[in-house]
Amino acid sequence: YKGEALVWTAAAAVPAFVAYSRIEAGKHFLTDNLVGYAVGAGLGIAVPQLHKTGEKMGASIVPIQGVNVNGYAYSGLMLTKKL
């Protein structure tokens, strides 16, 4: 795509600038920002992959909530795999 490199650059530059500003302000250490940047980037890549449907992705994850037979509420994630 024509503007894809610009979008990825902006998506990487904004949190990097915020991280730099937080270090300069004395609010965070460098390691805090490096770990946060890595976790954020990892989730930003993983979550869209988990939401893919069709033949490409053989599994899906969906949030669930309900009430069991004893009347207690529960919530969690349901992982399903196509065989």
Side-chain angles (χ1 to χ4, degrees):
Y1 302 110
K2 201 169 203 170
E4 187 174 6
L6 178 63
V7 171
W8 280 103
T9 301
V14 171
F17 175 74
V18 172
Y20 173 78
S21 299
R22 299 292 289 173
I23 291 171
E24 287 298 311
K27 300 294 182 185
H28 284 285
F29 294 110
L30 175 62
T31 53
D32 296 339
N33 289 317
L34 292 175
V35 170
Y37 198 87
V39 169
L43 288 173
I45 293 169
V47 169
Q49 293 297 320
L50 292 173
H51 285 90
K52 284 187 176 180
T53 58
E55 296 297 320
K56 294 180 182 177
M57 190 73 180
S60 67
I61 296 177
V62 294
I64 60 169
Q65 288 185 326
V67 178
N68 67 14
V69 294
N70 297 326
Y72 293 105
Y74 64 87
S75 61
L77 295 174
M78 179 175 63
L79 172 65
T80 57
K81 175 140 178 67
K82 293 180 185 177
L83 298 175

